[in-house]
Amino acid sequence: MSVEPGRLLPLLTSHRSGRSPVTCEYRCGNACAHPAPNESDNEYFGDVVRNVLSRRGALRAGAVMTAAAAGFAALSGTAAATPTVPPALAGRGQPGKPGRPVPGTDFDPVAPNSADAVIIPDGYEQEVVIRWGDPVLPGAPRFDFNKQTAAGQAKQFGYNCDFVGLIPQDGSGWRNLLVVNHEYTTETDMFPAGTYDPNNPTEEQVKIAWAAHGLSVVQAVRDPRGGLKVVPSRYSRRITMDTEFEVRGPAAGSDYLKTSADPTGRKVFGTQNNCAGGVTPWGTVLSGEENFNQYFANAGTVTDPVAAARLRRYGLSGAASTRKWERFDKRWDVAQEPNEVHRFGWVVEIDPHDPNSKPIKHTALGRFKHEAANIKITKDNRVAVYSGDDERFDYIYKFVSKGKYKKGTSAHARRHNSALLDDGTLYVAKFTGNSPASEIDGTGKLPSDGEFDGYGEWIPLASGDKSFVDGFTAEEVYIFTRLAADKVGATKMDRPEDIEANPVNGRVYAALTNNSDRGAAGKAAADEANPRNGNRNGHVLEWEEDRGDAASTKFSWRLLLVCGDPATADTYFGGFPKDQVSPISCPDNVAFDPYGNLWVSTDGNALGSNDGLFSVPVDGPNRGQVKQFLTVPIGAETCGPVVTEDLVLVAVQHPGEGAGAANPESHWPDGGSANPRPSVVAVWKKGRRGAGKIGVR
């Protein structure tokens, strides 16, 4: 159905976010309806603070507040400032006194809406770059919703696009490689009404879904008008469930990875549930395998208590899977192939410059529900990789390589730098707050020092063949990373998703989407890093490594945003006036423009309107000024995003999902009575390319 802009849709279900129940089922196996897999009793943040205060009985609240005010300064070497001016911003303008619009954010914000369209600011244009079913490889058939085949889909753009990577091939930015993840399939929306039975899918339908997963690589050139056009190219590539991957790193060849089809434990076919990702400095793409657990059947038949506990910690349970893949390949049946599940949940690396290269699964980065993997170069020229585990009460991780980075994007540099990800140290984060525990009451009320902030440490888990976790071998740390992190007392977070370092100020930003179970009976209560019980709207975390070095094991942190309706008391926008910001809910992906502004895309807006993309200055007097740049159609999630000086790209995932193929709720992007198709969209300022920078008047 078509909905007029400005009229808000009610929440579709009683689910804990704005998602439809079908999205919850097919995207993550309805994770929020099941108990959180983290049942560990490791010390969480509130306990840490209480214990610290107990041990320091003479510590006055005023001293704690002074430490909070000095938090960022102490680790960065900057002089301490008063609590009203965060130390990292000293000399850059005072929050709460807005200045001129920040370059990159000078546009009129889009109002919340429920339109079945991509809504952009006045003065901008848009076009669809590529959509589900569009040709990628030579010989791809023209997309026909009613006549799909597995052979055709293997040559076409896959389903449910998520991460978007734009890799320039020349200095002008005219010619680029476009790399896109295809996170998951929603078979009830993919096939014509009456042709798909969820309880009895056909083999061809299952094989179409296999081909619709993975990644697409295409070449894209700038349109003289300002947009982006896909062109036939020797770089074009589809990666599907039939693509062979090489397993590398310290766990490669482990007995836990060996199957009847691969007795070496070094070869896996396919990648699935690929969520956010990152472009490496050497020009490859890292992609995180996220909700892989839902694809595997019959975990409930496992009787060995150790194996069963490991499966539960990764969210596996029950009998048949939603998609019934196990009927057509035994590797999806845990009872028949108990180790196949261990071969998913990794960071994978794709080299888009070489269409004949074999993709890699990097075991040194640990196995969990990876939400992206983004890189920052350390001061001594090593590689640090940040990644979040997208689950309620799970953790934030960092990997630091042993070897040093070699500049460049040549074939030699790509091989050298890729190998860096196979040898280094894997860490998990523990956060400590500066405020007395009594001031963190779960309501989202700011503590008396005016910020949610504190210190943290990176706890080592393993390095090479050495484990730092009692009772775990190194290979067990890499393969059962969640359990190792439980053992060392990492801080339970509210669904840590995309994490990325700001190329301008050097700080690191993480989207924590939501956690309605925070503070529930038997669950971890609010803490300063996750300050709201029943956290429906999520928050954005910012931290600075000690001395600005990504190799450090210490950091200082604070919350940039506590998301939600600005009119409510439990929200915070970096100190910026709340009556001058756009509402934002459920941050998911983060990106940066050339000016260092943070851009946040959302997933599951709990405020009753469509998801969108938002700009946020992170320094100066406009720090925290959230402005909505665009919204996506009914039922869709905003993914991707790429923000250059004169172009914005977003992936519009699962438009209209949940209504079914017979009466789709969305007809975007083709309009009329067409079924919706997940697509990548380009937005640019009106006028020829070069005449209009994004957000600059």
Side-chain angles (χ1 to χ4, degrees), residues 596-679:
N597 299 304
L598 175 68
W599 291 68
V600 180
S601 64
T602 64
D603 168 24
N605 188 335
L607 301 177
S609 57
N610 290 354
D611 278 308
L613 178 67
F614 303 77
S615 70
V616 193
V618 296
D619 287 311
N622 293 68
R623 173 178 164 86
Q625 184 185 18
V626 175
K627 295 176 69 175
Q628 184 154 330
F629 181 75
L630 61 75
T631 55
V632 293
I634 295 170
E637 167 190 347
T638 318
C639 300
V642 174
V643 185
T644 73
E645 195 168 47
D646 59 357
L647 184 73
V648 169
L649 297 174
V650 293
V652 178
Q653 191 184 97
H654 58 74
E657 189 169 74
N663 297 292
E665 191 171 46
S666 172
H667 300 286
W668 185 88
D670 297 333
S673 60
N675 289 82
R677 296 166 68 181
S679 307

Side-chain angles (χ1 to χ4, degrees), residues 244-254 257 262 264-268 280 282 284-286 289 342-343 346-351 357-367 399 411-424 464 475 478-479:
E244 182 179 331
F245 281 70
E246 177 187 4
V247 181
R248 288 214 324 227
S254 165
L257 299 182
D262 173 31
T264 70
R266 295 177 180 272
K267 181 175 67 175
V268 177
T280 69
W282 51 94
T284 63
V285 165
L286 300 180
E289 296 181 325
H342 303 152
R343 293 147 64 87
W346 304 103
V347 169
V348 304
E349 185 176 14
I350 313 297
D351 185 352
S357 60
K358 186 178 293 185
I360 300 159
K361 298 200 177 192
H362 286 292
T363 63
L365 275 62
R367 175 176 163 268
F399 167 88
H412 173 70
R414 297 198 304 272
R415 288 192 298 270
H416 170 87
N417 292 322
S418 174
L420 297 179
L421 304 185
D422 297 326
D423 189 7
E475 68 176 356
Y478 298 120
I479 296 171

Side-chain angles (χ1 to χ4, degrees), residues 129 164 166 178 228 639-643 647-651 680-683:
V129 177
V164 177
L166 187 68
L178 186 68
L228 199 66
C639 300
V642 174
V643 185
L647 184 73
V648 169
L649 297 174
V650 293
V680 175
V681 174
V683 181

